[in-house]
Amino acid sequence: MVLEAWFMDESSQDQRLPHHLNPKQFVSLDQLAELGVLYWRLNPKNYENDEELQKIREARGYSYMDLLDLCPEKVTNYEEKLKNFYTEHIHADEEIRYCLEGSGYFDVRDESDQWIRIWIKAGDLIVLPAGIYHRFTLDTSNYVKLMRLFVGEPVWTAYNRPQEDHPARKEYIKGLTGQAGVPVEAH
């Protein structure tokens, strides 16, 4: 099963709904990679002893790990927390999330400021680059168990949009234009 991602509609309906465009417009892993979003498919049943996860952690320097259970029963002020997660923001560092159970959506902005919705399910590990505008919400299942990984000590700071002058945002934009290249004029 491969990660599903698609361009979102602009509807203000419940954020936990899929919000597909009509007709649906899916986004490939290559398109996500162009935005700096990385993806691995792992086995969530064996995450304590998963060699592939260990390799990723070692290669990328993810030394800190914790687990987060998100559901109405386990989180005080659940609706309020969900609203906070759903506020568009950036981080100065990568955001690394590994879905162990349940499911949810990470929304990221593409280079033309369109929302792309990424549906993560058990076994999906995604890395959002520092400086990318994003937000998170659960889907209608209202449950997700996530592993959070960090380089060094965890940093929780979210910088809400607009952040065009933030160093991480500037670096991200520079990386995008570097990857996409500059259009060459026809002679």
Side-chain angles (χ1 to χ4, degrees):
M1 194 170 70
V2 175
L3 187 75
E4 284 183 69
W6 55 85
F7 284 102
M8 288 181 71
D9 66 19
E10 295 293 323
S11 151
S12 58
Q13 283 182 303
D14 185 344
Q15 67 197 44
R16 289 169 273 211
L17 295 173
H19 288 278
H20 277 287
L21 289 175
N22 188 7
K24 293 177 180 178
Q25 227 183 312
F26 288 95
V27 174
S28 71
L29 288 177
D30 287 344
Q31 287 170 287
L32 290 176
E34 284 171 21
L35 299 174
V37 177
L38 306 178
Y39 171 74
W40 286 267
R41 177 91 190 140
L42 302 173
N43 177 3
K45 300 278 180 265
N46 186 27
Y47 68 87
E48 289 101 336
N49 307 307
D50 189 327
E51 284 181 28
E52 197 176 349
L53 177 60
Q54 254 339 99
K55 281 184 198 153
I56 294 165
R57 288 185 66 177
E58 283 168 22
R60 299 186 67 84
Y62 302 150
S63 53
Y64 180 92
M65 179 272 281
D66 69 10
L67 300 176
L68 183 65
D69 256 337
L70 285 177
C71 60
E73 300 76 35
K74 293 187 179 176
V75 177
T76 35
N77 304 326
Y78 174 76
E79 293 294 330
E80 191 183 313
K81 285 239 168 61
L82 219 50
K83 275 196 184 78
N84 287 345
F85 293 146
Y86 203 61
T87 303
E88 188 175 356
H89 62 279
I90 65 169
H91 300 289
D93 302 300
E94 291 179 334
E95 180 160 337
I96 307 104
R97 297 294 180 265
Y98 178 18
C99 184
L100 300 175
E101 295 172 23
S103 48
Y105 298 120
F106 275 98
D107 300 337
V108 298
R109 292 274 189 190
D110 74 357
E111 64 281 354
S112 59
D113 220 30
Q114 298 296 303
W115 279 119
I116 295 173
R117 174 150 277 191
I118 304 167
W119 193 12
I120 61 159
K121 300 175 196 136
D124 294 334
L125 185 150
I126 68 166
V127 177
L128 303 182
I132 193 172
Y133 282 122
H134 67 283
R135 60 191 181 188
F136 175 78
T137 188
L138 292 171
D139 58 17
T140 50
S141 72
N142 274 319
Y143 176 68
V144 73
K145 182 177 186 174
L146 295 171
M147 177 187 289
R148 299 186 291 193
L149 296 162
F150 295 90
V151 175
E153 285 303 300
V155 179
W156 310 108
T157 315
Y159 302 95
N160 292 346
R161 189 170 186 169
Q163 287 295 332
E164 300 319 304
D165 291 330
H166 191 287
R169 179 69 185 165
K170 285 182 169 174
E171 198 59 31
Y172 175 71
I173 294 298
K174 201 168 80 182
L176 273 186
T177 51
Q179 286 171 355
V182 179
V184 180
E185 286 182 42
H187 294 286

